[in-house]
Amino acid sequence: MPKFTEYDGTELAHRPTGAGQPPAMADAYDADFARMVAAFLAPGVHNVRTASGIRLAYRTWGDAAAPPVVLAHGRGGSGAHWTEVAERLAATRRVYAVDLRGHGLSDWPGRYSFEGFRDDLRGFVDALGLSGADLIGHSMGGAAALLLAQDAPGLIGRLVLEEAPAFVPLDPPRGFMARPDEELAFDWPVVADTNAQLNAPDPAWRERLAELAVPTLLVAGGATSEIVDQASIAEMAARIPGSRLVTIDGGHSVHTARPDQFVAALREFGI
């Protein structure tokens, strides 16, 4: 029996509201239900639930029979942020862009970690039978993709890390960040939880770079990137056996600022 199944939404008609719960819990419960409904009503959005109970929303482009590529967004983003690149890749690929937990139309469980995002990617690949798919991750999604490649290299074809953190402890560390007043498309605790791990990452994540057994392309955003230290990306590339490093002057989000150059780099890499 498979561990993961395509989620058909049958529980929508049976799920109660948050009535009778404490106010904060009821609000969170009803917000989660509203996201679930939105995910099933949104055109072009599919859903899958993993064995851990997390429901993941995702979008697809391209011929279902074409070689698959999975796109993992950065912090605060969603699969929809890949649309421009996905439409270009869809000429030759079946493209999957997932909303990781706490983002977009997927579940917002309230507690987050890079390991959790890694597990989302693994569950997603397993759920849809995408073993061997190429994996492209931006920033936070790149960190999750890297951890998956370290733990399960057989699941991945090629790996692309766009402006991914190098897992060097931040100096100075990031402190408290107040939640903005406006409505957000992601769960704010993602920020504090991932900042804590960026301030003091597991040393094994960096040590294992030298063991990475997946063809890897690192994309750096150049001098205009204000999020990831460019020297740390170059050092990470030097640690990963046989990796390639390309710098595209597009800032932290190269794929949105320079989509043509970004896709050209992917094509040259074999994607």
Side-chain angles (χ1 to χ4, degrees):
M1 179 177 295
K3 294 182 179 179
F4 305 93
T5 58
E6 189 77 21
Y7 185 54
D8 62 10
T10 52
E11 75 179 65
L12 288 176
H14 308 289
R15 180 167 176 165
T17 66
Q21 301 279 1
M25 185 180 298
D27 288 347
Y29 195 92
D30 290 342
D32 185 56
F33 181 61
R35 274 188 300 276
M36 183 188 301
V37 173
F40 282 96
L41 294 179
V45 174
H46 311 279
N47 295 267
V48 68
R49 190 176 292 280
T50 69
S52 66
I54 296 293
R55 180 187 53 80
L56 299 175
Y58 66 98
R59 298 158 181 83
T60 61
W61 295 261
D63 187 340
V69 57
V70 176
L71 310 179
H73 61 80
R75 190 169 77 177
S78 74
H81 289 185
W82 286 104
T83 298
E84 193 167 3
V85 165
E87 289 174 345
R88 287 167 163 80
L89 293 178
T92 57
R93 292 301 192 104
R94 176 66 164 179
V95 184
Y96 299 82
V98 62
D99 292 0
L100 298 172
R101 69 179 68 193
H103 292 79
L105 296 175
S106 291
D107 281 347
W108 294 15
R111 296 295 299 273
Y112 304 96
S113 67
F114 289 117
E115 297 95 331
F117 299 130
R118 172 203 63 199
D119 293 345
D120 286 346
L121 289 178
R122 182 166 193 164
F124 184 77
V125 169
D126 284 344
L128 299 182
L130 301 178
S131 180
D134 295 331
L135 179 56
I136 302 172
H138 172 233
S139 194
M140 178 195 80
L146 174 59
L147 294 185
L148 179 58
Q150 290 179 339
D151 285 357
L155 282 181
I156 297 170
R158 293 175 176 84
L159 174 67
V160 178
L161 305 176
E162 177 198 356
E163 284 277 307
F167 295 134
V168 177
L170 296 182
D171 184 19
R174 291 178 183 171
F176 171 77
M177 298 175 65
R179 186 192 187 284
D181 292 333
E182 67 265 22
E183 184 177 353
L184 300 175
F186 71 102
D187 197 8
W188 185 248
V190 167
V191 173
D193 289 349
T194 54
N195 278 351
Q197 288 193 294
L198 291 170
N199 287 341
D202 184 338
W205 297 345
R206 184 168 175 78
E207 293 167 1
R208 294 179 66 191
L209 290 175
E211 303 170 6
L212 194 61
V214 174
T216 303
L217 170 67
L218 295 94
V219 179
T224 56
S225 175
E226 299 178 349
I227 303 297
V228 180
D229 177 68
Q230 299 298 285
S232 70
I233 297 178
E235 184 182 354
M236 182 162 58
R239 287 173 174 257
I240 298 174
S243 69
R244 304 184 193 181
L245 171 63
V246 60
T247 298
I248 300 172
D249 187 17
H252 184 56
S253 186
V254 179
H255 71 277
T256 57
R258 300 285 187 270
D260 290 337
Q261 292 173 261
F262 183 78
V263 171
L266 299 182
R267 298 298 192 200
E268 186 177 349
F269 185 54
I271 293 178

